[in-house]
Amino acid sequence: MSASERRESVLRAAQIEFGTGGYSGTTTEAIARRGGVSQPYLFRLFPATKALVLAAIFEEAGTDLTGEESLAAMGRAYNALLDNREVLQMQLQMWSTACQDDEVRHLARRRLSDLWQQVQRISGADDQRVMMFMASGMLLNVFAALGLPRIKEQLGEALTGLS
């Protein structure tokens, strides 16, 4: 396995472990074990746990489409991501950690801004449309975390059962 493959393996392992245990409840030993590397090797890849969690938080995304087609394609890709419980948990842990950690908050803000600009650049949508698109994604996060269906016809029924 090449160094870049090991790095990707460690990042995937970190997403799963941080998603399950959070930043403070995850050990580098567990990440190294899941990633199939030794703990000393993990620290050669990432000099500190903070560097590892920051690297694991976001991945780049993109598409060759434009306009509403691009928003639909990005939405489908994001919807599929929400089926991956580990990715969802990692994302939710990231928002939670950002509440207490300035470095994570700074990175989360910067990457959210980058994502906003990327969606706007790819789609050509105005701020209002991008806001609606991003807000829908956040709502889908909540639905996924609560195990609610994402099919439009089922939403009304599912939401009435929340109270």
Side-chain angles (χ1 to χ4, degrees):
M1 185 183 298
S2 72
S4 76
E5 290 171 327
R6 279 195 287 278
R7 185 178 193 286
E8 286 304 311
S9 176
V10 167
L11 285 174
R12 280 192 307 277
Q15 287 177 334
I16 293 168
E17 294 295 332
F18 285 131
T20 302
Y23 177 61
S24 60
T26 300
T27 65
T28 55
E29 180 182 343
I31 294 168
R33 188 175 337 114
R34 182 179 292 274
V37 299
S38 68
Q39 199 170 12
Y41 186 80
L42 183 138
F43 283 111
R44 276 192 274 161
L45 294 171
F46 301 95
T49 305
K50 177 67 70 80
L52 178 56
V53 76
L54 292 175
I57 286 175
F58 287 102
E59 294 181 25
E60 296 295 324
T63 181
D64 294 332
L65 302 172
T66 58
E68 287 298 318
E69 284 182 322
S70 68
L71 292 174
M74 287 185 274
R76 284 190 302 274
Y78 189 71
N79 213 359
L81 260 182
L82 291 175
D83 290 331
N84 181 330
R85 199 84 181 143
E86 290 85 14
V87 170
L88 174 64
Q89 288 175 316
M90 178 64 193
Q91 192 178 114
L92 295 173
Q93 289 288 350
M94 182 264 309
W95 297 125
S96 174
T97 303
C99 291
Q100 294 108 20
D101 188 290
D102 289 336
E103 197 172 354
V104 172
R105 182 175 30 258
H106 175 74
L107 176 65
R109 281 179 161 180
R110 191 182 76 212
R111 296 305 299 257
L112 187 60
S113 174
D114 291 347
L115 182 60
W116 183 290
Q117 291 171 22
Q118 183 178 7
V119 168
Q120 199 163 43
R121 186 183 71 253
I122 291 169
S123 69
D126 64 16
D127 284 338
Q128 186 69 28
R129 181 65 180 104
V130 173
M131 183 178 68
M132 289 172 50
F133 179 76
M134 301 287 275
S136 296
M138 291 298 186
L139 184 59
L140 289 174
N141 286 351
V142 173
F143 286 176
L146 298 176
L148 292 173
R150 287 172 283 193
I151 299 170
K152 190 170 156 180
E153 294 78 31
Q154 295 174 343
L155 290 180
E157 206 174 302
L159 290 175
T160 58
L162 289 177
S163 55

